[in-house]
Amino acid sequence: MIEEQKLAAADGTAGTGEGLARFASPQMLRHIVLDLRQMKSFLQEPLVMARAEGIWYWDVSGKRYLDGCSGIFVANIGHANPRVLAAVHDQLDRICFAPPLHATNVPAVELANLIASVTPGDLNTVKLFSTGSETTEAAMKLARQYHRQTGNPHKFKIISLYRAYHGGTMGALSASGLARRKTVFEPTLSGFLKAMPPTCQACPFGLHHPSCGITCVDQIERQIELEGPESVAAVIVEPISNTGGITTPPPEYLPRLREICDRHNVLLIFDEVITGFGRTGQMFAAQTFGVLPDVLCMGKGLGGGYGPLAAIAFRDRVAAAFWGEDAENVEFSHGNTFGGNPLSSAAGVACIQEILDRDLCANARRQGDYLRGRLAELADLNVITDVRGKGLLIGVGLAQDAAAGVPFPADRRFGQKVAKRALAKGLILRADPDWIALAPPLVITQDEGDLLFDIFADSLREEVKAG
Ligand SMILES: Cc1ncc(COP(=O)(O)O)c(C=O)c1O
């Protein structure tokens, strides 16, 4: 049973203030457009947040919500963290912007050093940005320029996976493999190729692991050979694909992809915009899977939502091509005005320190295991096909008859309906028709995990009953 009383309990901290409700009125909302959302339907059920703390949000009417997807995989250390707030307040008094063409600034330097120290292997060189899309764009441009500066000027093609999402800007979108995000903007850029993803829950080759022999990764090598390795610059993948349905590749997949890239002098880019900063139970999924990419993209949890912050880290041999040891004019020919701005950087430093000091990676593993255990209690409903992901990136696969493998009809929108029920009960979830993600802040306690589970379970049961 949901402990509605607990949720409803006035905790005396809602503090939404008088008059904030007017910000949810149709008059006030008619001037704003939300991401990926039809505004007419949003106006019918508007949600305007006023305050957040820990794993909780409060909307302008004072209603409390458990943040079951960390905003959108961002609030890894939770909301209103005192250490980060103090760091940003302190930075406000010192310098808010430095001239990017002439100088950098103290927190940016500190952050680059800290990122280099927490990334695995020799991912020692860091460029700072504001958004995840900027990082995937930058990583792909870096790969092209790298090859040009190391004697392979014809390597320009980028291979990525169907069902992947690498961002909304045109290059990042060209690497993304979701029709519903990009068809309306096509044609996207040329030189971007797609391969089938390792979605074992619905293998694109109709095979089963392990007898499949990981055909999907071998197909990438075949693709490189057929295209001509001298024309392929990079492969970009999310170690665990979010839009692919929290798809965890089989253990052999990423090591073998690493070998393939090495064989053909193709750079391997990990898009860890979601999986970074403790989400999978290690600082990066590169560590969770034991595979070192050439370029690692990070965002979201890096700034924890306290400032727009993202970065790429790349390996020594890639960095060497841009350092200027042997030639002039080899600088990375790329930049964004707000990359490494002092306020966001100060927030990033404090976020990483918080993850390290509180060992939030361990808590992600612990609470992730606990939630997985509780999800097993829902087997009787026969709608959960599998539980995917790592740490506190949990994907719950859904089907009409899980045992028999019968999917929901496309128009059933089961996952979204469960999420809608959960939202009404005060739980925010990320949902697709046939899967739901549970990804609360990494600071979640077991009691809070129980509350999340109870609301999720109740919402699921109700939707099953509704038929
Ligand atoms: C895996 C991945 N890469 C890149 C991006 C783009 O990040 P942003 O929205 O910060 O530009 C996203 C956004 O959701 C993402 O999930």
Side-chain angles (χ1 to χ4, degrees), residues 85-97 107 342-344 346:
L85 296 184
V88 176
H89 284 152
D90 185 51
Q91 190 56 44
L92 272 168
D93 290 334
R94 293 170 195 273
I95 176 173
C96 296
F97 192 73
L343 293 176
S344 293

Side-chain angles (χ1 to χ4, degrees), residues 287-316:
Q287 291 143 320
T288 300
F289 291 102
V291 175
L292 191 63
D294 297 298
V295 187
L296 193 152
C297 302
M298 59 197 93
K300 295 195 187 261
L302 169 58
Y306 295 87
L309 186 62
I312 58 171
F314 42 104
R315 295 178 67 176
D316 289 346

Side-chain angles (χ1 to χ4, degrees), residues 72 130-134 136 165-168 238 242 271 273-274 300:
I72 184 76
S130 306
T131 67
S133 304
E134 286 175 354
T136 52
Y165 181 70
H166 297 296
E238 299 161 83
N242 166 43
D271 176 350
V273 168
I274 286 181
K300 295 195 187 261

